[in-house]
Amino acid sequence: MQHLHDIQVAAGANIIDGIAVSFGNELDALLAAREGVALCDRSHWGRILVSDDDRLRFLHNQSTNDFQSLKPGAGCDTVFVSSTARTIDLVTAYVLEDAVLLLVSPNRREYLLQWLDKYIFFADKVKLKDITNDTATFSLIGLESQRIVKELGAEEIINQTYSNHQLFKLENIEFRVAIGSGLAIPGYTLIVAAEYAAKLWKKLVELGAVPLGEKGWEQLRITQGRPIPDQELTDDYNPLEAGLWQTISFTKGCYIGQETIARLNTYKGVKQQLWGIRLAAPVEVGSAIALDDEKVGKLTSFTETEQGYFGLGYVRTKAGGEGLKVRVGEVEGEVVEVPFLTREAQ
């Protein structure tokens, strides 16, 4: 089965199993994300199932967050890092009764499968399974998401903590609802078997969710400050620099990259930080960020919004932070805070 985003048609609609689903006006969807509820198809994101007896211990030892304390129905964001604490991916994990479901970035699905497999040793009771093509993922984004969740009969999940999740059933469709939109905007993430994806999508649209395309998601991602692989998450940066402190346990003990991250925290060694940058004009990704005539960072993402031009970029800690006036390429800019990022231990 092909996912909603896979088949583009001239009229601006997507077709899945014979059902046309219009994405409409991107501006309407962005407005809905701010004031109502937008619906984003994230089915091209990877879904990896980690199972068997040692699954929690294994993930605890391979990533930054504390898995040993999680019970079924709970979840967390975590970062997979290299031995030198360079970022591989920001991942959301959902702990099931007999497995852990990882929602991973689209361009890290195969890499993470191979990377995780490399660390499964002979005595480890751990199994990996790629279930991306067997499932679909949708995110409800916006203040009215709660209303739609209620109308789906999933009100029991409302007001639970971030990444908590439960299974629900509507008619013959079984789907999982998790707290969190994937951004700092309130919302929910739904995971469903691929065979029921079109039917659930149609129901969500009927309930008033406004479909948001990939361009709209990218604009929200940048203005919210969510870092992604190959742009903000690369071998050049660690998760503290990327503003992902909320994904890191500083008390759980050893994991891959732990020594480097602990040392950076203890000795205040974060030399650069990811910020939002409000821009006066368009600018190329990769442009140098300068203070006076000195280079102090690099732009990693750029978007145009109704309010103007906006980017994400790393700025040297000693240069300053929020409110700093800079030049990005030949364009004036101002360093601003973004809601997705954190800058100290939670």
Side-chain angles (χ1 to χ4, degrees), residues 12-187:
N14 282 1
I15 299 177
I16 180 171
D17 291 350
I19 299 175
V21 186
S22 175
F23 277 97
N25 190 308
E26 201 77 58
L27 293 178
D28 292 341
L30 289 166
L31 180 64
R34 291 195 296 269
E35 300 178 5
V37 55
L39 172 61
C40 183
D41 177 26
R42 296 173 67 196
S43 299
H44 57 303
W45 290 58
R47 284 167 295 282
I48 299 171
L49 203 63
V50 185
S51 62
D52 219 336
D53 293 348
D54 294 330
R55 59 190 181 276
L56 289 177
R57 178 189 60 79
F58 176 74
L59 291 170
H60 189 88
N61 293 339
Q62 307 306 322
S63 70
T64 59
N65 219 327
D66 182 358
F67 278 83
Q68 297 281 41
S69 64
L70 297 178
K71 305 295 183 186
C76 67
D77 285 344
T78 194
V79 181
F80 289 92
V81 297
S82 69
S83 58
T84 55
R86 301 304 181 178
T87 52
I88 296 172
D89 196 15
L90 168 62
V91 170
T92 302
Y94 303 113
V95 179
L96 315 180
E97 288 290 340
D98 56 357
V100 180
L101 177 58
L102 304 179
L103 182 61
V104 311
S105 297
N107 59 350
R108 284 296 182 269
R109 167 186 166 191
E110 292 183 7
Y111 182 92
L112 265 179
L113 269 170
Q114 295 171 7
W115 190 82
L116 289 171
D117 186 65
K118 182 174 66 174
Y119 287 100
I120 300 175
F121 300 112
F122 180 75
D124 291 334
K125 294 182 178 179
V126 178
K127 296 176 182 175
L128 304 174
K129 184 179 180 182
D130 185 349
I131 62 167
T132 305
N133 293 332
D134 301 322
T135 52
T137 299
F138 307 140
S139 282
L140 294 168
I141 306 168
L143 297 173
E144 281 196 33
S145 300
Q146 194 173 104
R147 174 186 61 79
I148 290 185
V149 166
K150 284 182 180 178
E151 294 194 45
L152 290 175
E155 62 272 13
E156 191 178 339
I157 194 70
I158 293 171
N159 296 326
Q160 293 193 33
T161 57
Y162 174 75
S163 70
N164 275 21
H165 54 95
Q166 287 180 239
L167 270 179
F168 296 95
K169 196 165 187 178
L170 178 69
E171 299 170 359
N172 66 330
I173 308 173
E174 187 174 69
F175 56 97
R176 187 172 300 277
V177 181
I179 302 287
S181 66
L183 302 168
I185 303 171

Side-chain angles (χ1 to χ4, degrees), residues 189-247:
T189 295
L190 285 66
I191 300 171
V192 65
E195 60 186 302
Y196 297 115
K199 193 171 182 181
L200 180 60
W201 177 276
K202 187 169 182 286
K203 181 67 176 178
L204 294 169
V205 173
E206 287 173 354
L207 291 173
V210 181
L212 177 78
E214 192 66 26
K215 185 177 178 181
W217 168 269
E218 180 69 357
Q219 183 184 128
L220 289 177
R221 177 194 76 77
I222 294 171
T223 55
Q224 287 276 296
R226 178 175 177 133
I228 62 169
D230 295 336
Q231 290 180 242
E232 291 77 33
L233 305 180
T234 73
D235 286 343
D236 294 324
Y237 311 111
N238 63 62
L240 302 185
E241 294 170 334
L244 299 176
W245 292 70
Q246 75 275 19
T247 70

